[in-house]
Amino acid sequence: MQFCDAVSSNNSEGGHVLLWAALFSLKIASDFLPKSVRKTPSFTHDFSGFGLVYELKRHPNLRSKNKREIRMTERAARRKGGGRAGRREARASSGPAAAPYIKRKIPYVEILSEEGLQLIEDNADKLLEEVGIDFLDDPEVLELFKAAGANVDGTRVRFPRGMCRQIIQASAPSEYIQHARNPERSVTIGGKNTVLVPAYGSPFAHDLDNGRRYSTIEDFRNFVKLAYMAPGLHHSGGTVCEPVDLPVNKRHYDMVYSHFKYSDKPLMGSVTHYRRAQDTVDMAKLVFGDEFVDQNCVLTSLINVNSPMVFDGTMLGSLKVYARNNQSCVVSPFILAGAMSPVTVAGTCTQILAEAMAGIALTQLIRPGCPVVFGTFAAAVSMATGAPTFGTPEPSQVIYATAALARRLGVPYRSGGGLCGSKFPDAQAALQLAVVPDEKA
């Protein structure tokens, strides 16, 4: 047999001895291979753990048992595999094989009793009734709430007790399908289904060659490709990183296009301006068709509350665009407890519920029945320095509690995940992720 080292060669005497020893061992081992393999003119052994890849070829003077010489040229092998057409078909049929989403068969983690959950709901209604929410730079939103029975004072809107919950439960779906470009990758959001999505919004990327740096559109494309190939991720996500090498007012075109081009999983849309939200919807219509987009959800968007108790004009503009087009909004308060909400877990959950219900109710006033998700992001700040802290138990307690509140409200729920206080993927990161779990419901 003829052996060729496909990685490197070693000219030293010791290297030759080791190489010939390996060749001799492989020759003996080949006698024990199945007949179907021994009769194969060419096969490959990959010893990647040792950094070696060997290709084994039959020597011309070796004969099979029936005395027939087995030869196959490279051209004949390509023809047998279908040639260029075969390779094209193989590429088209290849792809990550995985379930489109997780169907939960285990119980939820409940950390609050019925009495505790009811107390938080009552206090949230009291907060909406007595304190209210500010809706900035959008007179249309104020008119919608006023017509629905809310008390509008300037930009401050106060809601009669139970008003938001009644609007939500009258029309908001408890689960819905977000359609993907590939129908086999469509996901059901809500109910007992769990959809795992890539991280969102990082301004930095890190690799072994360049270290930590600002992200580029090339990084963005690579992350989209990785999310597409990852069988454990069911969704392409949205701003998987922030491509700062492109102008802010144009980068959303490249981002949404990259999701459609390099992945066939569901995706999230742009929310940094209402025009960019509309551009996202228009691009989706090019892919799915106008009527399909109007009657089905193909986009999810992240609408952050400017906590405490404020919706700004940018988020309201994008929310209105997606809701009018029957696309999903994740209404998500962004909380750093101790700075943007009370220090306690119960107080933070109360504020989150009030803010989320106000935003979710708005989507149903704009278009009753449009899909919507109760979202939250919760972390804490150090009382000594004011710096954000991650990997602590309290944010996970907030997630467990607000997930239960979302189930009682009857809408899907979205949480953050994978948070830790480490700067590197080290033992600290692994431990904090293991002992401080997150929940997606």
Side-chain angles (χ1 to χ4, degrees):
M1 289 190 178
Q2 175 185 359
F3 294 84
C4 301
D5 186 350
V7 177
S8 61
S9 60
N10 193 331
N11 295 324
S12 66
E13 184 177 352
H16 283 300
V17 172
L18 293 174
L19 179 59
W20 282 110
L23 301 184
F24 181 73
S25 300
L26 286 173
K27 182 179 184 303
I28 294 175
S30 67
D31 294 335
F32 296 96
L33 293 173
K35 291 182 179 181
S36 60
V37 177
R38 279 188 281 150
K39 290 184 178 182
T40 302
S42 179
F43 55 96
T44 300
H45 281 267
D46 183 356
F47 301 97
S48 56
F50 301 97
L52 299 174
V53 178
Y54 287 103
E55 184 181 1
L56 284 70
K57 297 181 180 178
R58 286 193 176 275
H59 197 275
N61 61 11
L62 291 179
R63 304 289 179 178
S64 62
K65 288 185 178 181
N66 59 9
K67 306 301 184 181
R68 291 172 53 195
E69 181 176 3
I70 302 176
R71 288 174 176 267
M72 182 181 291
T73 64
E74 186 177 356
R75 180 177 300 175
R78 286 201 301 267
R79 287 174 180 170
K80 187 175 180 179
R84 181 181 299 175
R87 293 194 300 274
R88 186 184 300 115
E89 183 180 355
R91 286 196 301 270
S93 62
S94 65
Y101 53 91
I102 298 171
K103 296 182 179 180
R104 292 181 62 102
K105 298 181 180 179
I106 58 175
Y108 296 109
V109 177
E110 302 284 0
I111 66 171
L112 291 176
S113 64
E114 170 69 24
E115 182 183 1
L117 293 170
Q118 186 63 54
L119 179 62
I120 290 175
E121 290 173 343
D122 291 342
N123 286 332
D125 283 338
K126 185 176 182 179
L127 197 60
L128 289 169
E129 183 180 29
E130 296 182 4
V131 179
I133 306 283
D134 281 329
F135 294 88
L136 305 181
D137 305 321
D138 200 319
E140 181 186 3
V141 168
L142 300 177
E143 288 299 321
L144 284 171
F145 280 128
K146 186 175 181 179
N151 178 21
V152 178
D153 181 13
T155 60
R156 179 70 58 90
V157 179
R158 294 179 175 86
F159 303 87
R161 182 172 291 269
M163 171 184 166
C164 290
R165 183 175 297 272
Q166 182 179 0
I167 293 172
I168 294 167
Q169 294 180 338
S171 59
S174 59
E175 61 180 73
Y176 64 93
I177 296 175
Q178 183 180 352
H179 295 269
R181 184 165 62 86
N182 177 357
E184 294 182 358
R185 305 249 183 235
S186 298
V187 296
T188 300
I189 296 176
K192 289 188 174 294
N193 307 301
T194 298
V195 178
L196 300 180
V197 186
Y200 192 101
S202 173
F204 298 103
H206 185 284
D207 60 34
L208 296 177
D209 295 326
N210 302 306
R212 185 174 184 263
R213 67 190 189 284
Y214 280 106
S215 304
T216 65
I217 189 60
E218 186 61 27
D219 294 318
F220 186 96
R221 295 180 185 124
N222 287 335
F223 282 127
V224 170
K225 294 175 185 177
L226 288 171
Y228 166 67
M229 294 302 298
L233 292 175
H234 313 119
H235 201 283
S236 191
T239 309
V240 290
C241 67
E242 193 67 49
V244 299
D245 57 331
L246 298 179
V248 174
N249 63 337
K250 294 182 174 62
R251 67 178 61 158
H252 63 289
Y253 291 116
D254 296 87
M255 295 161 69
V256 175
Y257 176 71
S258 296
H259 279 297
F260 278 128
K261 180 177 180 180
Y262 298 114
S263 177
D264 61 1
K265 296 180 179 180
L267 70 148
M268 300 179 72
S270 176
V271 297
T272 54
H273 194 279
Y274 75 89
R275 290 194 182 94
R276 295 163 203 161
Q278 187 61 55
D279 290 338
T280 303
V281 173
D282 292 341
M283 293 175 74
K285 289 179 178 179
L286 294 175
V287 176
F288 294 97
D290 291 12
E291 184 177 355
F292 189 89
V293 171
D294 183 67
Q295 299 300 318
N296 299 276
C297 177
V298 301
L299 296 166
T300 295
S301 62
L302 177 59
I303 305 299
N304 279 129
V305 184
N306 193 357
S307 303
M309 313 296 283
V310 174
F311 283 81
D312 61 53
T314 298
M315 292 291 98
L316 291 174
S318 295
L319 180 148
K320 290 191 299 183
V321 168
Y322 286 113
R324 284 198 179 105
N325 286 277
N326 198 33
Q327 304 306 304
S328 177
C329 293
V330 179
V331 180
S332 179
F334 186 96
I335 299 292
L336 294 176
M340 301 160 68
S341 75
V343 179
T344 64
V345 170
T348 296
C349 291
T350 299
Q351 180 181 317
I352 288 173
L353 179 59
E355 293 175 344
M357 285 200 301
I360 295 171
L362 176 59
T363 66
Q364 301 308 299
L365 292 178
I366 294 171
R367 181 164 177 168
C370 71
V372 64
V373 178
F374 184 138
T376 186
F377 175 86
V381 297
S382 169
M383 294 293 98
T385 65
T389 60
F390 299 100
T392 58
E394 291 80 10
S396 287
Q397 292 175 349
V398 170
I399 288 171
Y400 289 133
T402 51
L405 294 168
R407 289 192 291 270
R408 290 162 65 91
L409 189 61
V411 294
Y413 178 76
R414 170 263 191 187
S415 74
L419 303 179
C420 66
S422 176
K423 303 297 183 184
F424 298 96
D426 56 9
Q428 176 189 346
L431 180 62
Q432 289 179 338
L433 294 177
V435 301
V436 186
D438 285 320
E439 176 179 305
K440 295 182 184 298

